[in-house]
Amino acid sequence: MGTTGDTIACFGEALIDFRAEPGPAGQPRRFVEQPGGAPANVAVGIAALGGTARFIGMLAQDMFGDTLAAALRQRGVDTSQVRRTDAAPTALAFVSLADDGERSFSFYRPPAADLLFREDDFADDAFADVAALHACSNSLTEPDIAQATLHGMAQAARAGALVSFDLNLRPALWPRGVDPTPTLWRALERADLVKLSTDELAFLAGDGDRDATIARILGAASALVVTDGAAPIRWWSRNGAGSAPTFAVAPVDTTAAGDAFVAGLLWRLAARAVDARGLGAAFDDDALRADLLAHAAAAGALATTRHGAFDAMPAHDAVDRLLETAR
């Protein structure tokens, strides 16, 4: 069964980032509150580009949960399938930026509300109008939320949606002594489109063969995209492989770069009417693939030129202007 809608649903965590800023001379540093969370960032990014985005997840009944719900709505994201709980607080992440804008995180999670979403929390018609579902590994870190994530991915696929998965691996979020790899592969094997960083591909390969790891991913997925900061993008389909350029910008904050990249890619796939069945053919079409990856790269690059996560997501006209510079 196929879908007829154009909504892109993003499932998983929403949290508050606190970005560290230097205080006045001799004074302690200050922290700026920013709404974030990888799948929530992607939803906001899609809406900023003019797409139809929905966030599905659990928010806390606390002041930070209120902030996240309001921020999503204000940015045009459908929150009709957001659930609320008072059983745990909102997750927090403290963000430190290096001089080149590269970020590092300190997480305060678990406990956290986003981890309490369960299979039964999905609406009966959660994917009836959904063209694509996007998820990340941060909703795999505990067994119950992992089961909900895998259930959602399977349900979306059965409804005909394209299933997108960004590994977005944060080892600090996994219980100490737990190897995340088996659970990660369970999600990877349910995805049509997989996005990794170079470091994440190396993690999955471990001491093994990178090519064998790529082949395993493409045993289920139709396309794999691997990013490496400002370096060229690498892509693989079942019939080919290659690279695509990125855009030179002056970065100040890389916090949401990967999420903006995914938002640009999913938004452009929807705009070009590429569904799960057509994804492989889209990546085998040189002109179409170049268009898809250019929009993703432009969105990702622009997100590094502004602070924050939600606030860093570029609008459609900004992406168009950057694309014009490369023509």
Side-chain angles (χ1 to χ4, degrees), residues 49-268:
L49 289 167
T52 304
R54 174 178 300 142
F55 178 71
I56 305 174
M58 185 74 74
L59 300 182
Q61 291 280 15
D62 61 16
M63 63 179 175
F64 294 131
D66 293 343
T67 295
L68 287 163
L72 287 163
R73 289 193 297 267
Q74 288 165 3
R75 288 163 174 82
V77 175
D78 174 4
T79 60
S80 61
Q81 294 187 35
V82 166
R83 308 296 181 234
R84 304 292 297 267
T85 181
D86 61 3
T90 300
L92 307 178
F94 289 81
V95 185
S96 176
L97 299 177
D99 290 341
D100 63 356
E102 189 59 39
R103 78 285 185 270
S104 59
F105 296 100
S106 295
F107 292 101
Y108 288 77
R109 172 187 185 260
D114 65 279
L115 296 171
L116 300 182
F117 195 100
R118 299 292 180 260
E119 289 183 35
D120 291 345
D121 290 315
F122 285 106
D124 291 340
D125 60 349
F127 305 109
D129 61 345
V130 168
L133 170 69
H134 177 67
C136 307
S137 73
N138 293 343
S139 59
L140 299 175
T141 57
E142 293 186 356
D144 289 337
I145 185 62
Q147 187 56 40
T149 303
L150 297 170
H151 172 80
M153 294 173 77
Q155 289 294 98
R158 280 193 283 272
L162 184 155
V163 178
S164 164
F165 185 71
D166 178 3
L167 198 65
N168 196 39
L169 183 63
R170 301 286 182 263
L173 294 179
W174 292 79
R176 186 169 298 178
V178 171
D179 177 10
T181 309
T183 305
L184 298 177
W185 277 110
R186 291 179 68 194
L188 288 164
E189 289 164 356
R190 286 164 171 76
D192 302 301
L193 172 64
V194 173
K195 187 267 182 191
L196 305 174
S197 70
T198 299
D199 290 344
E200 289 165 349
L201 178 57
F203 175 88
L204 290 173
D207 295 329
D209 184 348
R210 190 194 73 159
D211 291 341
T213 301
I214 293 168
R216 182 177 176 182
I217 291 170
L218 292 173
S222 297
L224 165 64
V225 178
V226 177
T227 60
D228 187 14
I233 301 157
R234 295 284 297 168
W235 64 267
W236 288 262
S237 71
R238 293 174 184 172
N239 297 316
S243 63
T246 58
F247 294 87
V249 295
V252 298
D253 185 349
T254 64
T255 299
D259 301 328
F261 178 96
V262 172
L265 180 54
L266 292 176
W267 169 77
R268 195 60 177 170

